[in-house]
Structure formats: structure tokens, C-alpha cells
């Protein structure tokens, strides 16, 4: 009985040592462009006019400042590169893994997580990913803003997973993200609707077929690049 009591006490102490205490976050404030621990999204000029589901993705620090990989060897801090945030999704820090040592992992990917890179705090993960991407070349079709965010999320092992990539992150923000306001919806879709209407009026139904073909090829490229070609997308 004494041995069991000692073991229980040791387990309790171990849990207290590995338990992460998070300081409270400020509320999301779109007017000040502050989105603590959020994924943030906005439409891309020209590209989103043809494919409104394609956009620019960033991730925010605990103080709400936006980080986004917006050019070769450059991670933008505090100023979203392609305009105001249109959509956001706040992530729960308690669903991340912040191991103080190898035995302190809360995810199921102990060795893989350690090899990829761990972090002590949310901002620590952002800092390490920034250092990595400040030496990377930007490419819209392979190594882009989604690659940077995926690297951050995998470093956090969010929801116990290290398989975050362009496809599932895009789906996450598009399906579960909140619009900042109604004007954000209008600004995001009005260029696409305008191009669509002009194209149909000038060209007719072949324009719709061309748009559909463009979307199919674009989605196919990202799906094949993400799931069939190892490391092509740099996540």
C-alpha cells in the first residue's frame, strides 16, 4: 500500500510538471488586426478571381500578430501581405503538444515529433518555423504560405497529428473558419462573380467549361503534389 501511495504521488508530481499552463488570450479584434492563435485567410489578387477557394493563409502569435510566408526568404510579421483578414479560425492551445522532454509528449508521434521539431510554447513554434522559412524560396504552386502554416501546425502536433498539409489546412479554414464581417464575403466573391458574368456574356458556355477545367487541373496538381510526391509541397 505504501508503494502504491508513493507511485501515485510520483505520477501526480509528473503530471503537474508536464501540464502546460496557458495565460489567457485577448479576444479577436478584427479592427486592430489581432487574431490570437488563429489561422487567417484572405483572397489572392487575380488567382482568387478565377478560383475563390484559393487564398493566402497565415497564422497568428499569441498576441494576435499575423505571420505569413509571402515571398522568398521573407516571413511577414504583423501585416497580412495581401490585404485585410477575411476569415479566421482560432485554434485551441490545449490540443497542441509542448513536450519538456521525450517522455513528456502528449501526442502519439513522440520520435517523429522530436525529429520534426518541438516547441515549449505556441510562439516558440512560430519562431522556429520563421527561422526555417527565412531561408526558403517562395513558389505559388509548390512552396507557399500554406507550407509555412503547415510547418507551424506540425511543429505543434495540433490535435495529435503531424500530417497537416496544404489540402487539409485549406479545407479547415474554408469549412470551419469564421468570416470577419459581411463585407469580407462581398470582397472575397465579387471579383469572381464579376469575371464569371463577363466571361459568360462575352464567350458563353465555353467560358464556364474553361473555368471548370482550370479548377480541376489546379486541385489535381495540389492533391497529387501533396499526397503522391514526397516533400514537393514542403510541409
Amino acid at each position: 500500500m505504501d508503494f502504491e501511495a508513493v507511485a501515485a504521488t510520483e505520477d501526480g508530481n509528473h503530471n503537474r510538471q508536464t501540464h502546460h499552463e496557458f495565460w489567457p488570450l485577448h479576444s479577436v479584434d478584427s479592427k486592430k488586426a489581432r487574431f490570437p492563435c488563429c489561422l487567417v485567410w484572405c483572397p489572392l489578387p487575380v488567382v482568387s478571381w478565377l478560383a475563390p477557394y484559393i487564398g493566402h493563409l497565415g497564422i497568428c502569435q499569441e498576441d494576435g500578430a499575423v505571420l505569413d510566408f509571402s515571398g522568398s526568404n521573407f516571413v511577414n510579421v504583423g501585416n497580412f501581405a495581401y490585404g485585410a483578414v477575411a476569415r479566421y479560425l482560432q485554434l485551441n492551445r490545449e490540443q497542441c503538444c509542448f513536450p519538456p522532454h521525450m517522455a513528456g509528449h502528449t501526442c502519439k508521434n513522440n520520435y517523429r515529433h522530436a525529429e520534426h521539431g518541438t516547441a515549449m510554447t505556441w510562439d516558440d513554434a512560430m519562431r522556429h518555423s520563421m527561422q526555417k522559412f527565412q531561408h526558403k524560396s517562395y513558389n505559388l504552386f509548390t512552396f507557399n504560405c500554406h507550407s509555412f502554416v503547415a510547418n507551424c501546425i506540425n511543429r505543434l502536433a495540433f490535435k495529435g497529428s503531424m500530417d497537416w498539409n496544404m489540402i487539409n489546412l485549406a479545407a479547415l479554414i474554408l469549412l470551419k473558419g469564421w468570416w470577419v464581417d459581411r463585407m469580407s464575403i462581398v470582397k472575397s466573391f465579387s471579383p469572381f462573380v464579376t469575371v464569371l458574368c463577363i466571361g459568360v456574356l462575352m464567350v458563353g458556355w465555353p467560358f464556364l467549361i474553361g473555368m471548370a477545367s482550370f479548377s480541376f487541373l489546379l486541385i489535381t496538381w495540389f492533391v497529387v503534389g501533396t499526397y503522391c510526391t514526397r516533400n514537393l509541397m514542403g510541409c
Side-chain angles (χ1 to χ4, degrees), residues 194-207:
T194 301
V195 169
L196 196 64
C197 292
I198 293 173
V200 170
L201 288 173
M202 295 182 65
V203 182
W205 291 108
F207 182 79

Side-chain angles (χ1 to χ4, degrees), residues 4-26:
E4 292 178 357
V6 171
T9 302
E10 289 179 349
D11 288 341
N13 291 335
H14 176 71
N15 289 334
R16 281 194 293 273
Q17 290 173 355
T18 58
H19 176 70
H20 227 80
E21 294 187 5
F22 303 102
W23 53 81
L25 298 176
H26 291 292

Side-chain angles (χ1 to χ4, degrees), residues 48-62:
S48 297
W49 301 356
L50 303 175
Y53 50 85
I54 299 292
H56 186 59
L57 189 67
I59 190 168
C60 301
Q61 299 178 148
E62 289 177 304

Side-chain angles (χ1 to χ4, degrees), residues 102-230:
M102 198 61 190
H105 281 265
T106 56
C107 64
K108 298 178 182 180
N109 302 286
N110 297 26
Y111 292 100
R112 186 181 171 201
H113 191 191
E115 183 179 355
H116 181 86
T118 61
M120 295 299 295
T121 65
W122 178 281
D123 283 353
D124 186 39
M126 305 299 105
R127 193 159 43 247
H128 281 88
S129 291
M130 281 180 63
Q131 291 172 354
K132 177 179 179 179
F133 276 73
Q134 284 171 345
H135 304 283
K136 298 291 184 181
S137 296
Y138 182 93
N139 187 306
L140 179 63
F141 295 102
T142 55
F143 211 75
N144 57 35
C145 57
H146 287 69
S147 305
F148 170 68
V149 176
N151 186 271
C152 293
I153 299 299
N154 285 329
R155 195 178 295 276
L156 293 166
F158 179 63
K159 289 191 173 181
S161 173
M162 291 190 64
D163 295 316
W164 294 100
N165 54 51
M166 291 187 187
I167 302 299
N168 52 29
L169 279 178
L172 183 67
I173 188 68
L174 292 176
L175 296 177
K176 295 188 176 182
W178 293 89
W179 291 100
V180 170
D181 51 34
R182 292 182 180 179
M183 279 306 298
S184 297
I185 302 175
V186 174
K187 291 178 180 178
S188 296
F189 288 104
S190 57
F192 170 73
V193 173
T194 301
V195 169
L196 196 64
C197 292
I198 293 173
V200 170
L201 288 173
M202 295 182 65
V203 182
W205 291 108
F207 182 79
L208 292 179
I209 296 174
M211 290 281 281
S213 300
F214 172 75
S215 290
F216 175 77
L217 291 173
L218 200 60
I219 293 172
T220 300
W221 165 258
F222 283 117
V223 170
V224 170
T226 299
Y227 294 107
C228 302
T229 307
R230 184 177 178 84

